Amino acid sequence: MQVYADNAATTKISDHALRAMMPCFEKFYGNPSSLHSVGQEAKEVLEEARAKVAACLGCEAREIYFTSGGSEADNQAIRSAAFYGARKGKKHIISTAFEHHAVLHTLNALEKEGFEVTLLDVKEGHNITAQQVKDAIREDTCLVTCMYANNEIGSVLPVAEIGAVCKEKNVPFHTDAVQAVGHLHIDVKKQNIDMLSLSGHKFHGPKGVGALYVRRGLPLVNIIEGGAQERGKRGGTENLPGIVGMAAAMEDACVNMDKNNAKVVALRDKLIAGLEKIPHCALNGDRENRLPGNVSFCFEGIEGESLLLLLDAQGIAASSGSACTSGSLDPSHVLLAIGRVHDVAHGSLRLSICHENTEEEIDHILTTVPQVVELLRNMSPVWRDLQTGKREYIL
Ligand SMILES: *Cc1c(COP(=O)(O)O)cnc(C)c1O
């Protein structure tokens, strides 16, 4: 049995999105900037897609800028707030310790350019509170950037409360909502979100395309200089097939969200309940405020990498830590940020499911993971030391 349980890394494109894209290759191949009718037809298709994306977020079409993905949107949002903040002498940014690297590495670069960054602690409840944000805001704060939902451990942040605090203090609020869009109900106006990043391939759209929502009136700097596309804020001929596929996937995900989530949450909770029976393990992330499809565990006395390889041999595609850090030997910064020590963080497993996963697949995971964990523990010198009492259990 083949089970794809790595939907937080990327999703399979839906038939609906794929079908929506085909006419962009076959019929609407014009350049939306061209003045002839072939170009203007493509332009119409582009603007229809923009309206769809805006409708799903509760904003105006002109507040949507298409990008090459979530990473570019994060870079542009943060760089923009930093640039315009610095002009007013404000060079302090607030974020969290468990952001995606697209955010954290942009903040690292800004620190080298003289900005000061406060990363909020996420050990308590594997989440942050709006009060933490409120306490961290200073006179010179030019941006609060907190993710909507964490890609590794699934915690969903109190975004509306953070938005209210930022509005009250008059500080721009950006959220990396790449894991939330298409999975959670979002209304940028009600939630007081000033900027929001999203990415097509995390909700069954195509890869290499995303969007940045920016509240009307907030200024942007360009990451990609070029032509006048995207109201002069993002140069380069628009990726029309990608944009149209993303908009179709987003509309589909938003229309079917409640139905899909009812199924996904039931499967998720079955997985969590089953895996929690394994001795010396711990659930990562916020138990209550959690992404519908996220299951994340640490198992003491094993290596996450070996676990993944053995699961793959049983047909299960999963992840440990984030796909972006795999290949390096450092444990995930997210697991370290929630307080998992190195040894424990190394034994992590993330299963991220979607509405296409079946009960049979979940049962396959639930019989396979305990077997594989036991197999690895029986080969592990660390596990032997734990069992003989030479080492103390942490979990
Ligand atoms: C996947 C992801 C990104 C990066 O999006 P890309 O479109 O792959 O660049 C950023 N933030 C989070 C939380 C993600 O899960």
Side-chain angles (χ1 to χ4, degrees), residues 8-9 68-72 74 100 102 147 149-151 176 178-179 198-202 208-209:
S68 66
S71 300
E72 186 189 324
D74 284 340
H100 190 272
M147 66 199 326
N150 186 274
N151 47 306
D176 172 345
V178 172
Q179 290 290 333
L198 64 94
S199 175
H201 73 104
K202 302 290 176 77
V209 60

Side-chain angles (χ1 to χ4, degrees), residues 367-389:
T367 50
T368 309
V369 173
Q371 286 169 3
V372 172
V373 168
E374 187 173 304
L375 182 82
L376 288 171
R377 281 177 169 170
N378 287 338
M379 303 188 320
S380 155
V382 172
W383 184 249
R384 195 184 319 123
D385 288 352
L386 287 166
Q387 295 230 293
T388 56

